[in-house]
């Protein structure tokens, strides 16, 4: 809804991609977790990596849901490549606060994933915050 | 219970200490010392009872600890004024604690048996494969190891280790801070239960029981319902429940003995 | 006061020795974690030692881990003993991966966790 830059990609790129759009509400966390876990299980990640991805995705979404404009949507895109799963989550926010890098949640996130990055765009007087994480096939911790 | 009785003589010299303990005022520092002596001296009793429950899948030192907790409770709650001797009070108390432990750590009857078994076998396979591979296993490896499909493995991985006893439900629902102790709500102890402690080793035998007997047994053991409550639930008389229960227990007891002394 | 949420369930069992054994089942995430905190608050308010049995927890989030660290802080401030039971992969993995299993009183079974907080008695003698 009113998302300025659609995350929908060309169909050709969708083959190994799963997109989810849901209300930015904590109630939906379990749905996103289930999808993340299912993708990782389907890709036959080891059970530690599956658990790590599930936790990392949950943390990213939790952090972003709290920042999102009430009643707005959260977009999640999962991309599967032979060696890793990437998850991109974005929400629209009233302010430009990015997730804090010295927070406990961020520490957990960096511990459990192989890469984490954030992006902030200013669009029409509000902000789009995006967090990208990637989890390699084999757990690193 | 009889097994513990033969040790009565070993503890006779401790009996006067309970009188001393009861006579001391709450604030007396000697109380702690006396209490500890009583607990320590009776430890063989706890160990003896724990040993009786051994070989049932629970680590022995865990059982000893649980039995010791029961012993402590017994020491704390024993009233020498009542005239009974400590052992006849302590043995059921300790056994109750151990039995409660088995119940606490046993699967809820509400968990579908298939899911429970799936979860357990997937967990066990994961642990075994982790050890063998030196890393966490993949679902495909677990599937191959167990000879099941990946879908089944997913299901097992996601299944909750729904672990606790149904009877705990009954604890809830009181006022916020006043929670009635479980034990106080359990109601009268069934004399027929003595000598049969519910545990997984019984499960294969229980499974062979007719549906109604199995149901009654579950209500009695897991829900800790009284015979009267069970009678109301099932719609038969309390006498009938009583007869069915003792017949079932007798049958289980005999089967257990057969298994132990083939 | 008594927070309820369908995704989490806590069965509180006060034991005769004064220790409270709380069986937690379901998912501990940002949504349900307050239920866990409430439950622990009650134990802290009434100064009861407690065991959190997380064996039936299917998912433990970063918020849940943070809650456990907070519980540790507050329990030690209140001078209370506590411990937690974590056996299943769903709980063990997050604790291990974050190294929190080294900082929290984690035990593999209810028996061991209870023994760790039970008042009195020389466990050394029992062993």
């Amino acid at each position: 809804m009113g998302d300025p830059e659609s995350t929908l990609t060309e169909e050709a790129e969708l083959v190994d991609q799963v997109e989810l759009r849901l209300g930015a509400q904590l109630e939906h966390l379990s749905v996103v977790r289930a999808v993340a876990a299912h993708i990782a299980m389907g890709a036959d990640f080891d059970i530690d990596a599956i658990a790590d991805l599930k936790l990392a995705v949950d943390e990213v979404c939790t952090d972003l849901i709290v920042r999102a404009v009430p009643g707005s949507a959260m977009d999640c895109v999962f991309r599967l490549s032979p060696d890793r799963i990437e998850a991109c989550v974005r929400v629209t926010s009233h302010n430009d606060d990015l997730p804090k890098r010295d927070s406990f949640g961020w520490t957990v996130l960096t511990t459990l994933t192989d890469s984490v990055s954030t992006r902030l765009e200013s669009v029409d007087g509000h902000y789009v915050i995006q967090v990208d994480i990637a989890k390699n096939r084999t757990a690193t911790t | 219970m009889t097994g513990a009785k033969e040790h009565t003589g070993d503890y006779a010299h401790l009996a006067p200490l309970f009188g001393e303990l009861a006579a001391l005022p709450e604030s007396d520092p000697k109380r702690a010392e006396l209490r500890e002596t009583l607990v320590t001296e009776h430890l063989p009793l706890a160990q003896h009872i724990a040993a009786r429950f051994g070989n049932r899948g629970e680590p022995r030192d865990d059982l000893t600890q649980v039995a010791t907790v029961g012993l402590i409770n017994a020491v704390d709650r024993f009233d020498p004024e009542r005239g009974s001797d400590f052992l006849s009070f302590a043995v059921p108390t300790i056994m109750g604690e151990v039995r409660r432990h088995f119940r606490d750590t046993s699967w809820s009857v509400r968990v579908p048996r298939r899911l429970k078994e799936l979860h357990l076998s997937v967990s066990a396979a994961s642990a075994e494969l982790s050890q063998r591979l030196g890393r966490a296993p993949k679902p495909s490896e677990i599937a191959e190891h167990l000879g099941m499909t990946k879908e089944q493995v997913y299901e097992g991985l996601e299944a909750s280790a729904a672990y606790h006893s149904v009877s705990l439900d009954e604890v809830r629902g009181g006022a916020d801070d006043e929670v009635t102790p479980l034990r106080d709500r359990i109601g009268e102890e069934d004399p027929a239960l003595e000598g049969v402690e519910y545990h997984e080793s019984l499960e294969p035998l229980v499974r062979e029981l007719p549906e109604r007997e199995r149901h009654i047994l579950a209500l009695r053991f897991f829900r800790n319902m009284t015979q009267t409550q069970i009678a109301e639930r099932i719609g038969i008389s309390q006498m009938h429940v009583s007869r069915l229960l003792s017949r079932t227990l007798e049958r289980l007891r005999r089967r257990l003995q057969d298994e132990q002394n083939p | 006061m008594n927070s309820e949420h369908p995704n989490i369930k806590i069965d509180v069992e006060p034991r005769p020795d004064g220790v409270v054994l709380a069986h937690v089942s379901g998912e501990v995430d940002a949504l349900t974690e307050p239920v866990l905190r409430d439950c622990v608050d009650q134990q802290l308010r009434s100064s009861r030692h407690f065991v959190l049995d997380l064996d039936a927890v299917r998912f433990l989030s970063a918020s849940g881990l943070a809650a456990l660290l907070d519980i540790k802080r507050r329990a030690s401030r209140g001078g209370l003993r506590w411990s937690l039971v974590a056996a299943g992969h769903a709980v063990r993995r997050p604790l291990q991966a974050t190294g929190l299993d080294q900082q929290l009183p984690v035990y593999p079974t209810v028996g061991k966790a209870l023994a760790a907080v039970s008042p009195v008695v020389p466990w050394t003698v029992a062993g």
Side-chain angles (χ1 to χ4, degrees):
Chain A
M1 280 200 306
D3 190 17
E5 191 192 10
S6 172
T7 47
L8 288 178
T9 8
E10 295 304 316
E11 271 186 40
E13 293 174 34
L14 284 174
V15 178
D16 291 313
Q17 186 161 317
V18 175
E19 299 193 0
L20 266 186
R21 166 166 261 230
L22 11 73
Q25 288 180 305
L26 294 176
E27 281 77 6
H28 294 323
L29 282 173
S30 54
V31 175
V32 188
R33 285 199 299 267
V35 171
H38 204 84
I39 292 173
M41 285 195 260
D44 208 23
F45 274 40
D46 72 51
I47 59 171
D48 283 352
I50 296 170
D52 294 354
L53 180 72
K54 199 173 165 187
L55 203 161
V57 165
D58 175 84
E59 177 55 19
V60 169
C61 293
T62 301
D63 200 309
L64 290 181
I65 286 169
V66 176
R67 289 158 205 284
V69 175
S72 67
M74 172 169 71
D75 287 294
C76 311
V77 179
F78 297 94
R79 265 180 228 105
L80 180 63
S81 62
D83 293 319
R84 57 165 40 189
I85 292 173
E86 292 165 13
C88 309
V89 185
R90 54 154 67 192
V91 294
T92 306
S93 174
H94 281 316
N95 51 55
D96 60 354
D97 283 345
L98 283 173
K100 293 190 179 43
R101 285 171 189 256
D102 58 353
S103 68
F104 177 75
W106 189 270
T107 313
V108 170
L109 209 53
T110 49
T111 307
L112 294 178
T113 58
D114 295 286
S115 90
V116 192
S117 60
T118 53
R119 208 183 303 177
L120 181 72
E121 278 173 65
S122 169
V123 182
D124 298 339
H126 54 255
Y127 299 89
V128 173
I129 309 177
Q130 178 170 334
V131 177
D132 294 354
I133 59 172
K135 180 71 186 166
N136 290 346
R137 180 165 283 281
T138 306
T140 43
T141 42
Chain B
M1 308 202 46
T2 44
K5 288 266 165 69
E6 65 212 33
H7 290 264
T8 310
D10 304 349
Y11 303 113
H13 66 287
L14 297 169
L17 295 187
F18 284 103
E20 275 182 48
L21 183 66
L24 285 174
E26 283 290 339
S27 53
D28 198 311
K30 259 202 91 183
R31 279 186 73 93
E33 203 181 304
L34 256 181
R35 180 167 175 253
E36 195 170 317
T37 306
L38 282 169
V39 171
T40 313
E41 292 293 313
H42 282 102
L43 273 177
L45 178 67
Q47 287 160 351
H48 179 83
I49 292 175
R52 288 191 54 205
F53 284 82
N55 305 321
R56 294 193 186 180
E58 285 288 304
R60 173 70 65 86
D61 58 336
D62 260 25
L63 285 184
T64 309
Q65 284 170 345
V66 169
T68 308
V69 168
L71 171 63
I72 296 162
N73 293 336
V75 168
D76 286 347
R77 289 188 295 151
F78 178 61
D79 181 1
E81 302 276 284
R82 285 214 194 140
S84 65
D85 71 298
F86 178 66
L87 285 196
S88 50
F89 177 74
V91 172
T93 305
I94 297 171
M95 297 226 320
E97 190 69 29
V98 174
R99 202 183 292 146
R100 174 220 286 270
H101 170 78
F102 277 118
R103 200 187 55 215
D104 286 349
T105 55
S106 296
W107 286 83
S108 150
V109 285
R110 283 178 304 193
V111 180
R113 162 162 222 93
R114 188 188 67 85
L115 257 190
K116 157 196 154 177
E117 280 171 355
L118 195 57
H119 180 80
L120 286 179
S121 40
V122 168
S123 300
S126 307
E128 193 189 328
L129 288 171
S130 296
Q131 190 129 59
R132 192 194 302 167
L133 301 166
R135 59 166 172 80
K138 302 171 189 174
S140 62
E141 291 166 333
I142 299 170
E144 193 186 341
H145 183 77
L146 293 172
M148 50 174 69
T149 65
K150 265 173 76 170
E151 282 65 34
Q152 287 171 309
V153 172
Y154 297 167
E155 210 180 349
L157 280 172
E158 294 283 294
S160 154
Y163 215 24
H164 42 205
S165 131
V166 176
S167 65
L168 294 171
D169 287 354
E170 270 106 335
V171 181
R172 314 188 91 208
D176 247 359
D177 278 315
E178 272 309 310
V179 202
T180 317
L182 187 65
R183 182 167 292 182
D184 294 351
R185 290 184 161 223
I186 283 180
E188 85 271 16
E189 189 59 18
D190 218 314
L193 290 189
E194 293 307 332
V196 175
E197 286 78 38
Y198 189 81
H199 186 253
E200 280 87 344
S201 62
L202 275 176
E203 283 204 11
L205 308 183
V206 171
R207 240 176 295 156
E208 292 168 13
L209 293 172
E211 176 69 33
R212 186 172 59 175
E213 273 81 344
R214 219 166 46 209
H215 192 194
I216 292 177
L217 208 58
L219 293 176
R220 186 65 192 89
F221 275 106
F222 286 110
R223 288 207 161 266
N224 284 305
M225 290 170 82
T226 62
Q227 293 187 357
T228 315
Q229 288 167 329
I230 296 174
E232 281 165 17
R233 168 72 70 93
I234 303 196
I236 57 178
S237 73
Q238 181 264 324
M239 275 308 289
H240 198 168
V241 171
S242 171
R243 268 198 304 274
L244 285 174
L245 201 54
S246 36
R247 204 174 64 197
T248 307
L249 291 170
E250 187 47 43
R251 191 160 149 190
L252 289 176
R253 204 176 290 134
R254 239 179 301 121
R255 291 291 312 271
L256 265 186
Q257 279 163 1
D258 289 350
E259 289 205 341
Q260 279 158 9
N261 331 294
Chain C
M1 194 62 250
N2 224 339
S3 8
E4 291 280 342
H5 196 279
N7 294 351
I8 192 170
K9 185 156 170 288
I10 305 183
D11 288 310
V12 175
E13 180 189 351
R15 300 172 55 88
D17 56 6
V19 174
V20 170
L21 173 58
H23 302 273
V24 187
S25 58
E27 305 175 321
V28 185
D29 63 8
L31 192 63
T32 61
E33 162 266 329
V35 181
L36 180 62
R37 283 186 198 255
D38 272 5
C39 168
V40 170
D41 276 347
Q42 288 188 15
Q43 314 320 323
L44 290 170
R45 267 203 306 278
S46 47
S47 298
R48 281 183 289 220
H49 305 298
F50 59 96
V51 171
L52 293 180
D53 173 10
L54 303 185
D55 220 19
V57 168
R58 280 196 310 271
F59 176 72
L60 180 61
S61 67
S63 333
L65 293 170
L68 293 178
L69 278 178
D70 195 40
I71 288 167
K72 178 192 172 181
R73 242 187 324 267
R74 289 188 305 151
S76 88
R77 208 183 306 144
L80 291 180
R81 283 190 297 272
W82 76 293
S83 61
L84 55 96
V85 185
H89 187 257
V91 172
R92 239 185 29 239
R93 175 61 190 171
L95 288 169
Q96 265 168 7
T98 54
L100 290 189
D101 56 342
Q102 301 302 312
Q103 296 177 44
L104 297 170
V106 181
Y107 295 86
T109 62
V110 172
K112 290 197 168 71
L114 275 174
V117 300
S118 279
V120 279
V121 166
W123 294 110
T124 44
V125 187

